[in-house]
Amino acid sequence: MEGTPRPEVTPRPEASAAAAISAMDDLIATSMVAQQEFARNLGLSPTDLICFAYVLQAGDTPVTAGDLAARAHVTTGAVTGIVNRLERGGFVTRQPDPADKRRVRVVAVPEAAQRVRAVYEPYYALLAQLFATYDPEEVAVLNDWFTRAGALAAAYLAESCGP
């Protein structure tokens, strides 16, 4: 947002790793409740919403049911039910994979994608306002931390809970 005046940078209180982990736990718990509410408002289960989010995140990259099962950490049988519900709800369509006629790709319905974005955009706008109170260097550190913590969480999940 170049040209947009940035609010004054908030002084940062000292914190320990334990305090940061505690704050992260609070954020995760609140985010889980928010996901449940967002899903309920859209007529979805949280797992269905997570899978739809993965389809949206993929953009133009083809997503298969197997991809969704791996990302959501559910069985291929469970993901079939998820894709069926998403399709019945008008969130996705199935398209044949041109490279392998036995597989299908899961594609977001544009109107459904917009409905989901409408739920999240006000929240993301608030987050953007919060990020605007940080220096670019601080945002870079936050981005690095989120990226590395996400990779660490995914690796820990795969290692401790299996595929």
mmCIF file of all heavy atoms in Angstrom, residues 5 10 17 19 26 43 67 70-71 82 98 146 154-155 159 162:
data_model
loop_
_atom_site.group_PDB
_atom_site.id
_atom_site.type_symbol
_atom_site.label_atom_id
_atom_site.label_comp_id
_atom_site.label_asym_id
_atom_site.label_seq_id
_atom_site.Cartn_x
_atom_site.Cartn_y
_atom_site.Cartn_z
ATOM 1 N N PRO A 5 -0.524 6.545 4.246
ATOM 2 C CA PRO A 5 0.195 6.857 5.477
ATOM 3 C C PRO A 5 0.086 5.706 6.458
ATOM 4 O O PRO A 5 -0.973 5.108 6.616
ATOM 5 C CB PRO A 5 -0.503 8.107 6.013
ATOM 6 C CG PRO A 5 -1.720 8.298 5.186
ATOM 7 C CD PRO A 5 -1.645 7.384 4.002
ATOM 8 N N THR A 10 3.916 0.846 16.841
ATOM 9 C CA THR A 10 3.643 0.604 18.248
ATOM 10 C C THR A 10 4.906 0.130 18.947
ATOM 11 O O THR A 10 5.600 -0.746 18.424
ATOM 12 C CB THR A 10 2.551 -0.488 18.372
ATOM 13 O OG1 THR A 10 1.425 -0.088 17.604
ATOM 14 C CG2 THR A 10 2.145 -0.714 19.801
ATOM 15 N N ALA A 17 10.213 -16.436 24.777
ATOM 16 C CA ALA A 17 9.700 -17.468 23.877
ATOM 17 C C ALA A 17 8.447 -18.093 24.477
ATOM 18 O O ALA A 17 7.474 -18.354 23.757
ATOM 19 C CB ALA A 17 10.767 -18.528 23.616
ATOM 20 N N ALA A 19 6.224 -16.684 26.441
ATOM 21 C CA ALA A 19 5.100 -15.750 26.277
ATOM 22 C C ALA A 19 4.611 -15.752 24.832
ATOM 23 O O ALA A 19 3.394 -15.710 24.576
ATOM 24 C CB ALA A 19 5.514 -14.345 26.711
ATOM 25 N N ASP A 26 -3.113 -18.951 22.041
ATOM 26 C CA ASP A 26 -4.377 -18.206 22.108
ATOM 27 C C ASP A 26 -4.880 -17.867 20.706
ATOM 28 O O ASP A 26 -6.076 -18.001 20.412
ATOM 29 C CB ASP A 26 -4.206 -16.917 22.918
ATOM 30 C CG ASP A 26 -4.044 -17.162 24.402
ATOM 31 O OD1 ASP A 26 -4.368 -18.273 24.885
ATOM 32 O OD2 ASP A 26 -3.602 -16.224 25.097
ATOM 33 N N GLY A 43 -22.337 -23.018 5.524
ATOM 34 C CA GLY A 43 -23.008 -24.303 5.377
ATOM 35 C C GLY A 43 -22.045 -25.461 5.179
ATOM 36 O O GLY A 43 -22.409 -26.476 4.573
ATOM 37 N N ASP A 67 -4.516 -35.061 -3.617
ATOM 38 C CA ASP A 67 -3.844 -33.865 -3.098
ATOM 39 C C ASP A 67 -4.571 -33.341 -1.872
ATOM 40 O O ASP A 67 -3.945 -32.997 -0.855
ATOM 41 C CB ASP A 67 -3.808 -32.749 -4.147
ATOM 42 C CG ASP A 67 -3.028 -33.077 -5.399
ATOM 43 O OD1 ASP A 67 -2.085 -33.900 -5.325
ATOM 44 O OD2 ASP A 67 -3.359 -32.510 -6.462
ATOM 45 N N ALA A 70 -4.091 -35.574 1.234
ATOM 46 C CA ALA A 70 -2.780 -35.383 1.851
ATOM 47 C C ALA A 70 -2.715 -34.057 2.595
ATOM 48 O O ALA A 70 -2.248 -34.000 3.734
ATOM 49 C CB ALA A 70 -1.682 -35.450 0.781
ATOM 50 N N ARG A 71 -3.191 -32.987 1.976
ATOM 51 C CA ARG A 71 -3.115 -31.662 2.616
ATOM 52 C C ARG A 71 -3.975 -31.578 3.862
ATOM 53 O O ARG A 71 -3.587 -30.975 4.850
ATOM 54 C CB ARG A 71 -3.560 -30.564 1.642
ATOM 55 C CG ARG A 71 -2.681 -30.322 0.452
ATOM 56 C CD ARG A 71 -1.470 -29.433 0.656
ATOM 57 N NE ARG A 71 -1.577 -28.238 1.413
ATOM 58 C CZ ARG A 71 -1.775 -27.019 0.936
ATOM 59 N NH1 ARG A 71 -1.961 -26.834 -0.351
ATOM 60 N NH2 ARG A 71 -1.791 -25.981 1.738
ATOM 61 N N ILE A 82 -15.971 -35.528 1.242
ATOM 62 C CA ILE A 82 -15.801 -34.073 1.307
ATOM 63 C C ILE A 82 -16.050 -33.449 -0.055
ATOM 64 O O ILE A 82 -16.801 -32.473 -0.185
ATOM 65 C CB ILE A 82 -14.384 -33.722 1.831
ATOM 66 C CG1 ILE A 82 -14.252 -34.118 3.304
ATOM 67 C CG2 ILE A 82 -14.070 -32.242 1.623
ATOM 68 C CD1 ILE A 82 -12.822 -34.109 3.829
ATOM 69 N N PRO A 98 -6.795 -34.405 -17.988
ATOM 70 C CA PRO A 98 -6.440 -34.749 -19.379
ATOM 71 C C PRO A 98 -5.239 -35.698 -19.466
ATOM 72 O O PRO A 98 -5.113 -36.436 -20.435
ATOM 73 C CB PRO A 98 -6.117 -33.403 -20.027
ATOM 74 C CG PRO A 98 -6.119 -32.387 -18.964
ATOM 75 C CD PRO A 98 -6.669 -32.991 -17.716
ATOM 76 N N PHE A 146 6.195 -17.130 10.266
ATOM 77 C CA PHE A 146 5.002 -17.883 9.872
ATOM 78 C C PHE A 146 5.348 -18.977 8.865
ATOM 79 O O PHE A 146 4.859 -20.103 8.961
ATOM 80 C CB PHE A 146 3.926 -16.966 9.259
ATOM 81 C CG PHE A 146 3.198 -16.124 10.261
ATOM 82 C CD1 PHE A 146 3.111 -14.751 10.090
ATOM 83 C CD2 PHE A 146 2.575 -16.681 11.365
ATOM 84 C CE1 PHE A 146 2.429 -13.959 10.998
ATOM 85 C CE2 PHE A 146 1.887 -15.897 12.281
ATOM 86 C CZ PHE A 146 1.815 -14.533 12.098
ATOM 87 N N ALA A 154 3.918 -28.699 9.718
ATOM 88 C CA ALA A 154 3.583 -29.737 8.738
ATOM 89 C C ALA A 154 4.497 -30.944 8.896
ATOM 90 O O ALA A 154 4.036 -32.089 8.840
ATOM 91 C CB ALA A 154 3.671 -29.166 7.322
ATOM 92 N N ALA A 155 5.787 -30.691 9.096
ATOM 93 C CA ALA A 155 6.725 -31.801 9.271
ATOM 94 C C ALA A 155 6.426 -32.558 10.561
ATOM 95 O O ALA A 155 6.460 -33.797 10.574
ATOM 96 C CB ALA A 155 8.169 -31.268 9.293
ATOM 97 N N GLU A 159 5.345 -36.460 10.819
ATOM 98 C CA GLU A 159 6.184 -37.366 11.595
ATOM 99 C C GLU A 159 5.427 -38.010 12.763
ATOM 100 O O GLU A 159 5.539 -39.208 13.000
ATOM 101 C CB GLU A 159 7.394 -36.596 12.152
ATOM 102 C CG GLU A 159 8.344 -37.442 12.976
ATOM 103 C CD GLU A 159 9.462 -36.591 13.523
ATOM 104 O OE1 GLU A 159 10.188 -35.977 12.710
ATOM 105 O OE2 GLU A 159 9.616 -36.537 14.755
ATOM 106 N N GLY A 162 1.647 -39.515 11.083
ATOM 107 C CA GLY A 162 1.644 -40.314 9.862
ATOM 108 C C GLY A 162 0.942 -39.603 8.735
ATOM 109 O O GLY A 162 0.451 -38.499 8.877
#
